[in-house]
């Protein structure tokens, strides 16, 4: 029997701001290595023994998911679109109900898409070690062998000390994030593991667990799955009943109440990359304890993280001690490493004053490519737009702005009302206010153009879509 990976990738990842934001969170960012965390998770859980992954995500990320999976030549089994975030319990149940519709015995591996696991083979061996228990009706959780008295993770209390391998052990209870003294006691006791939030069970076992421990969630989620609508390669859960489901984690709803629990130890490298200090550790600090990425110069620094994510922006640190410094094109974070968990407070403060940097990037990803704002002023905005080969923007119009397009790379097929023409490099075209227009890339290489917008309102929600190959609705992203 193969295992169905269920990749959970709907979170916002605010503790890794400014590189992770609501519009493009950490699971889709190459924080460690060249692949995104989501891609690394999908690759890790593919191949022999695994079926096509089920992905649970939000509407804004649906095309990011398909694009990043396509880059790995991985075709998903299903992409479930949550109408709104309701925490992990409804999401896990929706995946279980979806899989149970065709195979109630299907084994599901619930895996957050934003973790780092440095020993994929060892992790797959741990999964295989827990498969028999999962088939027998157990809820299997994977615990990380602790290396320190960590207060930032939940813990698992086992009925006995685990051996040196991956043999399953009965799980007594989940332990919330402890105080330092309690964490030290659990580390010394030897029968505790870190809670990785990764679970293996059959679809029918999890449905039965909701029937027993969280029946109020089962009805709305079942209705949302049964009322789901197909949309291209996506399955949109019914928003009406979904909104009635309690917003609660699967840990609180099920794991802390169930008695059929088993833990499998995993001793390889693992991190949930919960803050910038954890990212520094995974990047591999040098002899002075520094980790650097991008155009960075460190002089007499120790124990620090310096990352520049802005092309052409050189980040220089002098005499830094245990400091996190992360620069993006529109924001810079400087923090004491011991305060890395407090970055989410900065995001809240930025949201309170309506700063766009709180949730959005200058670069905005769309199914056809991406664009970024280069300059914004009174009644004008300049953007760089990149369109993938063969891709096309929607046929659209604007109430409040006119646009001027200058092609700098490739060839654009441009529709303006009833006229269709090709615009090549160094040529430009004007789109009057109110005109129906579309841009396509008929070539085999990315097409790049500069767009100059002029008008009284330049917001992304000033879009009226008439036709769209990606079946998007109205609004900024549709």
């Amino acid at each position: 029997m193969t295992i169905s990976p269920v990749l959970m990738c709907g979170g916002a990842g605010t503790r890794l701001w400014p590189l992770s934001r609501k519009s493009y969170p950490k699971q889709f960012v190459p924080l460690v290595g060249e692949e995104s965390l989501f891609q690394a998770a999908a690759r890790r859980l593919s191949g022999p023994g695994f079926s096509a992954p089920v992905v649970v995500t939000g509407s804004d990320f649906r095309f990011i998911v398909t694009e990043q999976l396509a880059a790995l030549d991985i075709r998903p089994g299903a992409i479930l679109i949550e109408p709104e975030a309701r925490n992990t319990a409804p999401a896990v149940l929706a995946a279980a109900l979806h899989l149970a519709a065709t195979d109630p015995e299907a084994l599901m591996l619930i895996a957050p898409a934003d973790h780092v696991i440095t020993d994929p083979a060892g992790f797959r061996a741990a999964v295989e070690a827990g498969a028999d228990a999962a088939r027998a009706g157990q809820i299997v959780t994977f615990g990380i062998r602790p290396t320190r008295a960590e207060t930032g993770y939940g813990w698992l209390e086992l009925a006995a000390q685990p051996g040196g391998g991956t043999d399953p052990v009965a799980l007594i209870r989940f332990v919330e994030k402890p105080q330092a003294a309690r964490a030290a006691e659990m580390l010394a006791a030897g029968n505790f593991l870190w809670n990785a939030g990764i679970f293996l069970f059959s679809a029918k076992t999890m449905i039965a667990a909701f029937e027993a421990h969280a029946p109020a969630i089962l009805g709305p989620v079942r209705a949302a799955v049964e009322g789901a609508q197909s949309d291209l390669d996506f399955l949109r859960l019914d928003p009406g009943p979904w909104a009635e489901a309690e917003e609660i984690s699967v840990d609180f709803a099920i794991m802390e109440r169930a008695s059929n629990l088993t833990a499998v130890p995993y001793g390889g490298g693992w991190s949930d990359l919960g803050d910038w200090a954890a990212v520094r550790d995974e990047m591999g600090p040098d002899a002075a304890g520094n980790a650097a990425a991008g155009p960075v110069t460190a002089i007499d620094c120790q124990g620090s993280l310096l990352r520049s994510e802005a092309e052409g922006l050189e980040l220089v640190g002098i005499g830094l001690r245990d400091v996190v410094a992360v620069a993006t094109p529109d924001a810079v974070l400087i923090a004491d490493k011991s305060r890395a968990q407090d970055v989410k407070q900065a995001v809240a403060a930025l949201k309170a004053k309506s700063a766009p940097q709180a949730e959005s990037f200058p670069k905005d990803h769309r199914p056809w490519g991406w664009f970024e704002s280069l300059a914004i002023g009174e009644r004008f905005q300049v953007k760089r737009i990149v369109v993938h080969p063969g891709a096309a923007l929607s046929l659209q119009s604007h109430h409040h702005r006119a646009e001027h397009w200058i092609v700098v790379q490739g060839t654009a097929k441009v529709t303006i009302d009833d006229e269709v023409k090709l615009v090549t490099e160094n040529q430009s075209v004007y789109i009057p206010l109110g005109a129906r227009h579309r841009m396509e890339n008929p070539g085999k290489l990315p097409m790049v153009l500069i767009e100059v917008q002029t008008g009284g309102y330049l917001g992304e929600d000033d879009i009226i879509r008439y036709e769209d190959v990606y079946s998007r609705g109205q609004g900024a992203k549709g």
Side-chain angles (χ1 to χ4, degrees), residues 395-397 415-420 431-438:
L395 181 66
Q396 59 186 253
S397 67
T415 300
I416 304 176
D417 290 328
D418 296 328
E419 181 184 10
V420 180
I431 299 92
L433 185 150
R436 294 192 180 196
H437 59 281
R438 189 201 318 260

Side-chain angles (χ1 to χ4, degrees), residues 22-79:
K22 182 179 179 180
S23 67
Y24 203 82
K26 72 172 185 175
Q27 58 265 30
F28 302 118
V29 177
L31 282 165
V32 180
E34 296 186 1
E35 289 183 340
S36 74
L37 300 177
F38 170 71
Q39 287 176 309
R43 186 187 295 279
R44 183 165 59 243
L45 302 178
S46 63
F50 294 100
S51 59
V54 173
V55 181
V56 184
T57 191
S59 181
D60 285 352
F61 308 141
R62 65 194 190 277
F63 293 111
I64 301 174
V65 165
T66 55
E67 183 177 327
Q68 293 201 354
L69 287 178
L72 303 177
D73 291 325
I74 294 176
R75 184 171 180 81
I79 300 176

